[in-house]
Amino acid sequence: MGKIDEMIDGIILTPLKIIGHEKGDIMHIIKSSDAGFKKFNEAYISKINYDQIKGWKKHFKMTCNFIVPIGSIKIVVYDDRENSKTKNTFNEFNLSCKNYCRLTVPNGLWYGFMGISINQSMLINISDILHCKEEQINKKLDKINYKWKT
């Protein structure tokens, strides 16, 4: 799954079902009855190449629901919220078909992700609000003290 000493407050990791089928598997993503689901407003796909990193991003209003149906992606979440009991905590999640889960990241947390499979990987985000540049902020990778590569 990744490295987690303490789960960041508000993060939800939900194992998902893959139904095997001889013509191609069926992969669940999200249901309106699932924990972490607020409402649906937008879905998008972000592709990432091997050993590339996209981050850091923080949403002020958006809740993200990340799923990785193709490839393998390391997602890192960082909590710098002033009144959080998990302030200054990092969580790492390695999502793929072998670890097929949905990662729900509430607003107010920083996240980034890195392609860790040789082929291009795909991340799906099911969000509760429409994408809006004004409700997010980005930082360069070196502005948060995290070592992406060992």
Side-chain angles (χ1 to χ4, degrees):
M1 171 174 42
K3 187 173 79 176
I4 299 177
D5 295 325
E6 177 181 13
M7 186 73 87
I8 290 174
D9 190 36
I11 295 281
I12 302 169
L13 187 65
T14 307
L16 297 173
K17 215 185 254 190
I18 298 177
I19 302 167
H21 191 281
E22 71 272 1
K23 295 183 180 180
D25 294 343
I26 299 149
M27 302 171 79
H28 284 216
I29 294 178
I30 197 166
K31 295 182 254 177
S32 61
S33 60
D34 287 346
F37 179 85
K38 291 182 179 182
K39 63 181 180 176
F40 169 78
N41 252 308
E42 184 173 49
Y44 67 83
I45 293 170
S46 183
K47 292 182 177 181
I48 189 158
N49 296 325
Y50 173 69
D51 212 31
Q52 297 300 303
I53 302 166
K54 292 184 178 182
W56 294 100
K57 182 181 279 193
K58 175 167 59 172
H59 291 283
F60 302 113
K61 297 179 183 175
M62 181 186 290
T63 297
C64 298
N65 288 282
F66 297 137
I67 303 98
V68 178
I70 297 172
S72 185
I73 296 177
K74 174 175 152 177
I75 302 171
V76 178
V77 182
Y78 173 62
D79 187 356
D80 72 343
R81 299 172 294 182
E82 280 304 316
N83 297 317
S84 174
K85 66 180 181 182
T86 54
K87 185 175 180 184
N88 296 322
T89 300
F90 286 94
N91 285 169
E92 297 176 4
F93 304 91
N94 294 332
L95 301 186
S96 65
C97 285
K98 292 181 179 171
N99 184 34
Y100 192 59
C101 297
R102 181 182 57 256
L103 177 63
T104 302
V105 180
N107 60 47
L109 297 172
W110 291 98
Y111 69 86
F113 55 94
M114 181 172 104
I116 55 175
S117 63
I118 297 299
N119 297 318
Q120 191 174 63
S121 298
M122 178 188 297
L123 178 139
I124 297 172
N125 182 22
I126 308 292
S127 64
D128 60 340
I129 66 169
L130 295 175
H131 183 268
C132 173
K133 286 185 180 181
E134 288 75 36
E135 78 78 40
Q136 69 179 36
I137 188 170
N138 296 330
K139 281 188 179 185
K140 294 187 180 206
L141 290 177
D142 64 351
K143 298 300 179 188
I144 293 177
N145 188 19
Y146 176 79
K147 188 172 182 173
W148 283 93
K149 300 175 185 180
T150 55

